[in-house]
Amino acid sequence: MDIITRTITDSDREECIYVEKGAMPHNRYINDVWNMFLYETDGDLIGAFVDGKLQGMGKLTRLYQDYGWLETLRVHPDFQNMGIGQKIYDAYFEHIAKLNLKSVGMYTEMYNKISKHLAEKNGFEVKAEYTEILKPIRNIDTNPTQFKLVSKENGEEFLSQYYDYMDDYLVINRTFYPVDKGLGEFLASKNWVYTDNKENVLIGGYRFQPEKAFHIPFIKGDIDKILDFANYLGCKAGSKNLSMLKPVNSTLIDLYVRKGFSIDDNYMTLWIDL
């Protein structure tokens, strides 16, 4: 069996959809993120080909600065346990070196021992465990309050004053962003940072599939007021839920449950420093 890896191109799209359909029958999104993965992010979608046919894939993405993120690791079920996942990791490290990344992370479900084992085999260590909480979006037509976006130019100065109040990672679409210098500028460049100039701050948005959830990694200030505004943004985007991921032992989880959130699932994030 001959396994080679290379960067995915547009001509591989249908094969990628086929692989994901087999590997992840209940959580598919490669078709939704195709243009973003191929043209709008720094980092490649890598394919693993067995005797010329795509049977696995994985995405490397630069988050910001020299932080990288591994995602969308898929191997068709007919070819699992044959070393394809390791071949993709080997390719990951080649691309990581080209991008000069210094720290790279990924996430997996707490029950996914196979994914965790493969990451640890390649030097990754569990850094944190988070719980997702969800609240259904209420349909509203009007903006309940006057928040505004923080500009990219002001993002770092504005948000850095709140870094000490944040968890170790901010999570959007189950992508874990380390809280470090440069994060504020990056988040503001994505139009994810809002304030009303009254010490109320919302970080919220989505990387893809807005219909599933509007993600809220951080709020500070009047919680009810900020959640109402987040609900407005989520409703405007057509989202089904508000979503937060918090450290499993966070006392804030109980607070948000009292405000209508329900506990969903637990995840871990693993990182390697290079």
Side-chain angles (χ1 to χ4, degrees), residues 168-185:
D168 292 337
Y169 303 95
L170 300 185
V171 189
I172 294 179
N173 282 97
R174 299 175 189 170
T175 304
F176 287 69
Y177 295 87
V179 176
D180 200 356
K181 181 179 179 181
L183 179 61
E185 178 183 1

Side-chain angles (χ1 to χ4, degrees), residues 106-241:
M106 51 86 70
Y107 95 94
T108 192
E109 297 84 356
M110 291 292 291
Y111 61 79
N112 195 336
K113 295 180 180 180
I114 295 175
S115 177
K116 178 176 181 284
H117 173 73
L118 183 59
E120 290 179 329
K121 178 183 175 182
N122 284 278
F124 288 71
E125 298 180 359
V126 177
K127 294 297 185 181
E129 298 175 359
Y130 276 56
T131 296
E132 185 171 23
I133 55 176
L134 301 171
K135 182 178 182 180
I137 292 284
R138 294 178 289 107
N139 290 323
I140 57 175
D141 298 324
T142 57
N143 186 343
T145 188
Q146 295 302 313
F147 281 73
K148 64 179 182 180
L149 285 167
V150 175
S151 69
K152 175 183 177 181
E153 293 73 22
N154 296 325
E156 186 64 23
E157 180 181 1
F158 173 78
L159 210 56
S160 61
Q161 64 185 311
Y162 299 102
Y163 285 172
D164 289 343
Y165 298 98
M166 297 179 183
D167 301 319
D168 292 337
Y169 303 95
L170 300 185
V171 189
I172 294 179
N173 282 97
R174 299 175 189 170
T175 304
F176 287 69
Y177 295 87
V179 176
D180 200 356
K181 181 179 179 181
L183 179 61
E185 178 183 1
F186 171 79
L187 295 176
S189 75
K190 298 293 185 181
N191 293 331
W192 289 345
V193 184
Y194 299 84
T195 185
D196 64 354
N197 289 330
K198 297 180 181 179
E199 298 185 350
N200 290 314
V201 180
L202 165 69
I203 300 176
Y206 46 83
R207 291 182 67 209
F208 53 85
Q209 291 186 316
E211 69 278 5
K212 288 192 173 181
F214 183 86
H215 301 272
I216 308 172
F218 178 77
I219 65 176
K220 186 161 181 62
D222 185 328
I223 292 177
D224 293 325
K225 182 177 182 180
I226 297 169
L227 287 179
D228 280 346
F229 179 64
N231 184 93
Y232 164 76
L233 293 176
C235 184
K236 187 177 178 182
S239 305
K240 180 181 179 182
N241 292 301

Side-chain angles (χ1 to χ4, degrees), residues 14 27 95 97 199 204:
E14 291 304 316
N27 184 26
H95 287 250
E199 298 185 350

Side-chain angles (χ1 to χ4, degrees), residues 1-13:
M1 186 173 70
D2 183 30
I3 305 173
I4 64 168
T5 57
R6 65 163 171 81
T7 297
I8 291 292
T9 66
D10 268 322
S11 63
D12 302 309
R13 187 168 187 164

